[in-house]
Amino acid sequence: MDDKKIIFSGVQPSGNLTLGNYLGAIKNWVSLQNDYRCIYAMMDLHTITVRQTPADVRRRTLEVLALYIACGIDPEENILFIQSHNSAHAELAWVLNCYTYMGELQRMTQFKDKSSRHAENINAGLFTYPVLMAADILLYQADYVPVGKDQMQHIEICRDIAQRFNAVYGDVFTVPEGLLPKVGANVMSLQEPTKKMSKSDPNPKAYISMMDDMNVIAKKIKSSVTDSEGVIEYREGDETKAGINNLLTIMSAVTKRSIDDIVKDYAGKGYGDFKNDVAEAVVECIRPIREEYDRIIADKQYLMDICSKGAESARRISQRTLKKVYKKVGFVL
Ligand code: TRP
């Protein structure tokens, strides 16, 4: 391998990818591909911690892959693969389970959230989700992990596990760092703008799917929740301004202009004008990606070739780490 630093990240094929995923993650990954060795995976093992319809998981896994490529992630330059195609993830996760404490996992915000939302199915996989995620990252000796803010706690526990393991067995794992995107890290729900935009939101008006029709996207932005003050201003931390803050964040991310500049444009103007412009800017951002996506998703053979090549590279890299770990813990090789 060359001496480029390694980046690993993943996304769950559990729902349609949203504008939040694009602006908060994928878009930033495109700019990383020249300077880092990038490995991205479709996290299907994580997805089944919540009940899914199998046909949906299968379809979405390839959709996400196609969308990554459509967003500009070059499959020749990066490693793109499906998590379940590399059994090393499950294997390392087992070992790391034995180096992770119940108490640590119990403190995970995502576990608490998801177990309250899926009270009928609080399974062990949901509980050990962060351990599998640590395995994903540590297998590739990743230096950086670009994620949204909500995943930072999982990066922290991954670092703790790596350091704990290294303290006993020597330098086995690279201790990774989370990489937060500079802008658009936090795209919020269009209906309850104090909550993150989520692809699993029961209300489809709350998120913009990268798969939405252009007129649906515009409609969702125009009907987003704001406030009655009528002033377009960014006020960090002011909950009544959450809707406007969010639209400004989105506008800034899709137009690559600063929030201050945008605010200046709208001095004295109303929310109606502003929303129309945001809608148009978002549509212009998504349209070319959608056209490329439609072309790629139609070519199943191309997609399967990419993920099988990707899985081969992923297996090769991760075997080195797994072998080392097995040796350290005393397994006969
Ligand atoms: N938990 C991440 C999410 O829901 C997805 C994920 C799984 C991931 N494994 C990962 C992200 C490893 C980065 C690195 O967004």
Side-chain angles (χ1 to χ4, degrees), residues 8-12 14 21 29 41 43 46 83 110 114 129 132-134 136-137 145-148 150-151 154-155 196 199:
F8 181 92
S9 197
V11 66
Q12 287 196 57
S14 55
N21 299 122
W29 299 355
M43 297 308 185
H46 281 101
Q83 188 186 24
Q110 182 176 289
K114 286 199 180 169
Y129 178 115
L132 177 59
M133 182 160 160
D136 300 334
I137 298 165
V145 186
V147 283
D150 67 305
Q151 293 297 315
H154 289 158
I155 304 299
K196 189 186 158 193
K199 56 195 166 192

Side-chain angles (χ1 to χ4, degrees), residues 141-292:
Q141 306 289 351
D143 298 284
Y144 300 106
V145 186
V147 283
K149 234 193 214 162
D150 67 305
Q151 293 297 315
M152 271 316 222
Q153 199 183 24
H154 289 158
I155 304 299
E156 281 309 312
I157 196 174
C158 170
R159 291 168 55 87
D160 291 342
I161 296 168
Q163 279 160 346
R164 182 174 304 145
F165 197 91
N166 285 352
V168 180
Y169 301 103
D171 277 340
V172 177
F173 296 125
T174 301
V175 180
E177 275 174 49
L179 213 59
L180 282 178
K182 283 175 215 72
V183 76
N186 258 347
V187 176
M188 311 302 278
S189 156
L190 297 176
Q191 292 299 318
E192 287 172 81
T194 52
K195 282 184 8 194
K196 189 186 158 193
M197 180 181 282
S198 165
K199 56 195 166 192
S200 43
D201 200 304
N203 180 1
K205 283 170 97 179
Y207 59 86
I208 290 172
S209 162
M210 296 298 284
M211 299 297 138
D212 281 342
D213 282 342
M214 299 302 137
N215 58 331
V216 173
I217 294 176
K219 243 189 237 151
K220 285 182 179 178
I221 291 186
K222 289 179 197 170
S223 62
S224 67
V225 168
T226 49
D227 56 81
S228 54
E229 189 188 25
V231 179
I232 298 163
E233 214 171 73
Y234 190 90
R235 270 184 247 139
E236 179 84 58
D238 180 345
E239 286 210 355
T240 59
K241 263 346 227 187
I244 288 294
N245 287 352
N246 190 34
L247 291 180
L248 282 166
T249 303
I250 293 173
M251 188 69 164
S252 163
V254 298
T255 59
K256 303 192 184 76
R257 297 178 62 212
S258 76
I259 289 182
D260 283 350
D261 275 355
I262 298 166
V263 167
K264 279 190 200 118
D265 286 354
Y266 291 95
K269 293 199 182 151
Y271 290 172
D273 285 345
F274 178 51
K275 282 180 174 177
N276 280 338
D277 292 351
V278 175
E280 197 179 313
V282 170
V283 164
E284 285 323 305
C285 163
I286 295 183
R287 192 197 305 279
I289 299 172
R290 262 311 285 279
E291 287 170 0
E292 183 65 2

